[in-house]
């Protein structure tokens, strides 16, 4: 690996990378408090806004693996900057959207594509620049802290902007932040030269994207047509199986697939990916359900809804910023288990207190615990996956890792949102949150199965990578 310290100061590099994760996470949750405003302005429904949010998250998930792979061919910095530009164009288009269709194009499609291009380089560059275990934990802690804060503070910032100026200004804010990241990102120097001769598996990219889209669209169809739901989910499974068979056949033929099947043979990484997926599923599912419930059922406006989410933001901030300190004192496995336990208690508190008290502040203890729990485990889950592979596979595992996390985000909105919009009442709210609690328990079980030494390095992978 090149001596990156001479090329770009790690601290200077970390700022644009962390800000990029912040704005992408912010974009995934800030629309939750704009449900009523967007519905009224664009003459749509709660389900229409849910669809925009879910498609955005789904496009990210579907394209994240190809987004990670092309970094080897075109370079990490080049993909990062190109993704920022595409994202910025989408944000401007969303701010000017005259109808739901243009909002889907700008927010769901262009911002989704931009995110899929810029996020894998964030994690690849962090892994390459920060080679020492403690500095890497601190770097990932900063990135995941801003990512978690972006997701949790999205409702608050979005509510303030929407109430003070209008929902369109929230997209203008995104465009301004992206412009600032572009300026800060100019100082990044790619530590590894791109290789234009690296082949790109187009068929694999198409199959993986189509399979994920069908899977999530099937879940979205649950509240309208059960038969259609089953058909779409079954088709998604078939396409994803075809994708796996395709990449395995390419490997046997000596060709380069979209991702190596060896990524799926690392037990530690697989369990880490499961915990990542469920963490973001719970975070985004909770954000959508609570925001929709407060606005549609309780009648609160954007800023009131956003303020209530401050508790989750505080929780995420406290534990995420302390990630490096926690990593020195406790194993990654212990932190992930503790995070799920605290999160499950938080969801239970939401269910118990919301049903007993009319005041929306009764949700604060539960949201605080959820924020604390998620903040504890976001960083170790990422680190445990990235550190399971060598430098030569960082592009692939970063794309797969971000795909799994964003798939969790889209599934969280789709599953919890579908349950909620099927019958916007306190009973639907309880059903959605109970579903999230059950899924969080599954994440806890996966965490307990992690090896006690946390990371099993593959052959050829050094402790530095």
């Amino acid at each position: 690996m090149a001596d990156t310290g001479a090329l770009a100061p790690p601290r200077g590099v970390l700022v644009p990378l962390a800000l990029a994760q912040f704005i992408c996470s912010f974009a995934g949750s800030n629309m939750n408090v704009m449900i009523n405003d967007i519905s009224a302005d664009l003459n749509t429904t709660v389900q229409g806004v849910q669809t925009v949010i879910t498609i955005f998250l789904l496009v990210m998930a579907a394209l994240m693996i190809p987004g990670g792979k092309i970094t080897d061919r075109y370079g990490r910095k080049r993909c990062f900057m190109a993704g920022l530009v595409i994202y910025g164009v989408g944000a401007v288009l969303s701010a000017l959207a005259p109808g739901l269709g243009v909002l889907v194009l700008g927010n769901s499609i262009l911002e989704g594509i931009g995110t899929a291009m810029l996020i894998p380089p964030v994690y690849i560059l962090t892994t390459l620049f920060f080679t020492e275990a403690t500095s890497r934990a601190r770097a990932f802690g900063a990135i995941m802290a801003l990512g978690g804060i972006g997701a949790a503070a999205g409702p608050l910032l979005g509510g303030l902007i929407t109430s003070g100026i209008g929902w369109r200004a929230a997209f203008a804010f995104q465009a301004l932040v992206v412009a600032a990241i572009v300026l800060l990102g100019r100082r990044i120097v790619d530590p590894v030269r791109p290789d234009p001769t690296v082949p790109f598996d187009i068929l694999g990219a198409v199959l993986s994207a189509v399979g994920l889209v069908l899977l999530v669209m099937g879940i979205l169809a649950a509240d309208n047509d059960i038969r259609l739901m089953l058909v779409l989910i079954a088709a998604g499974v078939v396409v994803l199986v075809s994708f796996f068979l395709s990449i395995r056949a390419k490997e046997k033929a000596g060709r380069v697939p979209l991702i190596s099947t060896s990524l799926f043979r690392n037990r530690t990484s697989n369990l880490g990916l499961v915990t990542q997926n469920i963490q973001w599923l719970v975070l985004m599912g909770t954000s959508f359900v609570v925001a929709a419930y407060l606005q549609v059922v309780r009648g609160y406006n954007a800023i009131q809804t956003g303020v209530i989410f401050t508790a989750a933001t505080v929780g995420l901030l406290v534990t995420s910023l302390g990630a490096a300190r926690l990593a020195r004192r406790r194993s990654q496995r212990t932190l992930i288990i503790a995070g799920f336990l605290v999160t499950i208690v938080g969801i239970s508190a939401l269910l118990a207190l919301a049903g007993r008290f009319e005041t929306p502040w009764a949700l604060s203890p539960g949201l605080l615990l959820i924020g604390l729990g998620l903040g504890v485990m976001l960083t170790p889950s990422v680190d445990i996956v990235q550190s399971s592979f060598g430098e030569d596979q960082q592009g692939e595992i970063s794309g797969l890792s971000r795909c799994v996390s964003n798939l969790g985000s889209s599934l969280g909105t789709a599953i919890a949102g579908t349950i909620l919009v099927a019958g916007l009442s306190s009973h639907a709210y309880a059903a959605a949150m109970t579903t999230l609690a059950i899924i969080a328990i599954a994440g806890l079980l996966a965490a307990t199965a992690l090896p006690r030494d946390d990371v099993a390095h593959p052959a050829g992978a050094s402790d530095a990578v």
Side-chain angles (χ1 to χ4, degrees):
M1 190 188 309
D3 181 9
T4 59
L7 295 175
R11 184 172 297 179
V13 168
L14 188 58
V15 173
L17 299 181
L19 282 176
Q21 180 63 77
F22 166 82
I23 199 63
C24 291
S25 298
F26 171 86
S29 67
N30 83 114
M31 281 183 66
N32 290 337
V33 298
M34 305 177 194
I35 294 173
N36 286 342
D37 296 84
I38 294 177
S39 298
D41 193 12
L42 301 185
N43 193 28
T44 184
T45 62
V46 173
Q47 192 169 16
V49 179
Q50 179 205 10
T51 300
V52 173
I53 297 171
T54 303
I55 293 177
F56 165 69
L57 297 169
L58 180 56
V59 169
M60 284 196 296
L63 300 181
M64 204 63 76
I65 294 177
K69 189 67 174 180
I70 62 174
T71 61
D72 295 329
R73 183 169 184 167
Y74 299 106
R76 285 133 292 273
K77 179 182 178 180
R78 187 178 299 172
C79 290
F80 179 68
M81 300 298 278
L84 287 169
V85 172
I86 294 173
Y87 186 105
V89 171
V92 172
L93 192 61
S94 299
L96 302 174
L100 192 64
V102 177
L103 184 61
V104 169
L105 174 61
N107 177 250
S108 305
I109 307 301
L110 292 180
E111 287 193 27
I113 292 173
T115 302
M117 289 185 65
L118 71 91
I119 287 298
V122 167
Y123 290 84
I124 298 170
L125 289 169
T126 301
T127 303
L128 296 179
F129 277 123
F130 299 89
T131 59
E132 192 268 325
T134 302
S135 65
R136 179 180 293 171
R138 188 179 295 113
F140 275 132
I143 290 172
M144 296 312 298
L146 282 183
I149 291 168
L156 175 60
L157 292 178
L160 290 171
I161 295 171
T162 300
S163 298
I165 306 174
W167 67 268
R168 297 176 186 276
F171 289 102
F173 167 75
Q174 292 180 43
L176 290 174
V177 173
V178 166
I181 298 172
V182 170
L183 293 175
L184 292 170
R186 292 183 303 170
R187 66 195 307 174
I188 296 175
V189 177
D190 203 329
V192 179
R193 291 178 181 271
D195 184 359
T197 64
V198 173
F200 183 75
D201 181 6
I202 297 177
L203 176 62
V206 171
L207 288 175
S208 65
V210 171
L212 292 172
V213 168
L214 289 171
L215 193 65
V216 177
M217 293 305 292
I219 295 173
L220 286 174
D223 61 326
N224 291 324
D225 191 329
I226 296 298
R227 290 184 180 179
L228 178 61
M229 177 198 76
L230 296 175
V231 169
L232 289 173
I233 291 177
V237 171
V238 170
V239 174
L240 289 176
V241 170
S242 300
F243 163 66
F244 183 80
L245 294 176
S246 170
I247 61 175
R248 189 171 66 176
K250 283 184 172 62
E251 282 186 328
K252 289 183 177 180
R255 292 181 290 169
V256 180
L258 183 66
I259 55 174
S260 172
T261 56
S262 65
L263 297 182
F264 302 102
R265 292 196 290 269
N266 187 307
R267 180 173 179 272
T268 299
S269 174
N270 288 341
L271 290 169
L273 290 172
V274 171
T275 64
Q276 279 187 36
N277 178 276
I278 293 177
Q279 288 161 17
W280 285 98
L281 187 156
V282 171
L283 176 58
M284 299 306 293
T286 300
S287 179
F288 181 83
V289 171
V290 175
Y293 177 75
L294 289 174
Q295 292 174 89
V296 179
V297 178
R298 293 287 185 89
Y300 292 104
N301 61 29
I303 191 169
Q304 290 171 322
T305 302
V307 167
I308 295 169
F309 273 95
T310 305
T313 306
V314 171
L316 275 162
L317 179 63
V318 169
T319 48
S320 294
L321 293 181
R325 189 181 305 108
L326 291 170
R328 290 194 297 269
R329 297 179 178 179
R330 295 289 184 271
S331 70
Q332 293 167 323
R333 176 180 181 273
T334 299
L335 293 175
I336 297 172
I337 290 174
F340 273 116
L341 286 172
V342 175
T343 300
I344 292 167
V345 173
I347 295 175
S348 301
L350 278 179
L351 287 167
L353 296 177
R356 292 189 176 187
F357 302 97
E358 287 297 319
T359 173
W361 294 108
L363 302 176
S364 296
L367 290 173
L368 175 63
L369 289 172
I370 291 172
L372 289 169
L374 290 169
V376 164
M377 57 182 169
L378 285 175
T379 297
S381 285
V382 170
D383 199 11
I384 205 171
V385 172
Q386 295 288 147
S387 300
S388 294
F389 297 92
E391 180 180 320
D392 58 328
Q393 290 185 295
Q394 283 302 308
E396 291 180 315
I397 191 57
S398 292
L400 178 60
S401 174
R402 295 303 90 207
C403 169
V404 167
S405 294
N406 284 288
L407 179 61
S409 296
S410 57
L411 287 174
T413 304
I415 294 172
T418 297
I419 295 172
L420 191 64
V421 299
L424 286 171
S425 66
S426 58
H427 296 297
Y429 164 81
M433 294 308 301
T434 300
T435 301
L436 292 175
I438 293 172
I439 295 173
I441 292 172
L444 173 62
L445 295 176
T448 58
L450 285 166
R452 294 185 180 277
D453 58 351
D454 288 328
V455 179
H457 291 286
S462 69
D463 291 336
V465 177

